Amino acid sequence: SFTGEDSLDVAIDSGSDSAATADNPFAFDTGAALSVDGVTYSFPVGGVSMIVGNDTDISASFTGACSYSAFTDYMGDCGTGNTIGKGGNGVTATGSYAFDSGFSLAAGISSKSDASTGILTKEGTDSYGIEAAYTADSYGLAVAYVSDDNAATAETTTWGINGSYSFDNTSLPSISVGYETTETSGTDANGYFVGLTWSEVGPGSVSLGAATAGNFVDGAPEFMTYEASYSYPVNDGLTITPGVFIEETAGADLTGIIVKSSFAF
């Protein structure tokens, strides 16, 4: 922080998402180099919270309304990764404004520069989106619209909605749902998500989720992804979340075990 209200953030990644082979069934790449995944600067403009940066999600300021805590990427956005979890493709600016009533509005835009000159071009790959969300004590709802305008292909528009509801009885799970519909050149594709979270199971919480593995065209084979996880705090600064997932594919189904660690200092 520089003024107490702003923040400069740098994301650094390492690893590989290469497909498994007979020689390397787990596709581990311990030699992967560190790479900068995004640089962002957050600051207020009046009552608007702004975020600008490179390779930043246009949805970085979106509120969302999903309470499900996933540990696989797709379910992390409650099945709305193309709208409420929309990524960026270059220079990005996004901002949000929260009303006192629990209602909020957010928007973002991202444009890719010419690879040879580094200059933003009118005929580049542009994306923009807008979101409206409402959150209350026990429920929330968010709706987003995103347009991807790629000069090399057809424009794609996507609507996404996600929401959650929590019961007063803590023995009952909170329910989170998500739905997306995409249109490209008159062809529609749809995907959905459902998740349950029990917030008090021993020292931690249990989450179960099911979702389509993407947005699928009507009539095409539809593949599903399932996950189950248990999250518990080891201490005030460390939370461990082990879990298992199953992903259906056109070939053999994929099964994996993940352990996620979250640190806070």
Side-chain angles (χ1 to χ4, degrees):
S1 177
F2 300 96
T3 68
E5 295 182 331
D6 60 353
S7 175
L8 176 66
D9 301 278
V10 179
I12 300 175
D13 293 343
S14 178
S16 172
D17 59 359
S18 302
T21 65
D23 295 330
N24 186 11
F26 299 104
F28 290 155
D29 185 0
T30 56
L34 294 174
S35 61
V36 177
D37 187 42
V39 179
T40 62
Y41 179 60
S42 308
F43 57 97
V45 178
V48 178
S49 299
M50 293 293 302
I51 300 175
V52 296
N54 186 53
D55 292 332
T56 303
D57 294 350
I58 68 172
S59 61
S61 295
F62 290 10
T63 303
C66 175
S67 63
Y68 182 81
S69 179
F71 75 124
T72 55
D73 289 342
Y74 186 74
M75 292 194 196
D77 296 312
C78 288
T80 54
N82 297 301
T83 49
I84 300 174
K86 175 64 178 176
N89 54 17
V91 178
T92 302
T94 177
S96 64
Y97 183 85
F99 297 87
D100 294 336
S101 62
F103 181 72
S104 64
L105 288 174
I109 185 169
S110 181
S111 185
K112 191 173 184 178
S113 60
D114 187 288
S116 60
T117 65
I119 300 174
L120 297 179
T121 59
K122 182 178 179 181
E123 298 301 327
T125 303
D126 304 320
S127 302
Y128 64 88
I130 186 170
E131 183 216 41
Y134 179 79
T135 55
D137 291 338
S138 60
Y139 67 93
L141 183 68
V143 180
Y145 169 83
V146 168
S147 173
D148 285 309
D149 184 11
N150 190 333
T153 60
E155 179 181 2
T156 298
T157 59
T158 308
W159 285 92
I161 180 172
N162 69 34
S164 63
Y165 182 83
S166 299
F167 297 93
D168 293 334
N169 187 344
T170 57
S171 64
L172 297 176
S174 62
I175 302 171
S176 296
V177 295
Y179 176 79
E180 268 191 351
T181 179
T182 298
E183 189 272 329
T184 305
S185 300
T187 301
D188 296 329
N190 307 288
Y192 57 88
F193 155 88
V194 178
L196 302 175
T197 300
W198 287 263
S199 59
E200 297 182 7
V201 179
S205 61
V206 170
S207 295
L208 301 176
T212 52
N215 294 340
F216 293 90
V217 177
D218 293 343
E222 187 175 272
F223 303 111
M224 298 292 296
T225 299
Y226 307 93
E227 71 172 29
S229 63
Y230 183 71
S231 179
Y232 63 97
V234 177
N235 51 46
D236 293 339
L238 173 63
T239 299
I240 301 294
T241 306
V244 61
F245 72 90
I246 299 173
E247 181 179 347
E248 297 176 345
T249 71
D253 292 348
L254 303 177
T255 301
I257 297 173
I258 298 175
V259 178
K260 177 181 176 180
S261 301
S262 300
F263 300 89
F265 300 98

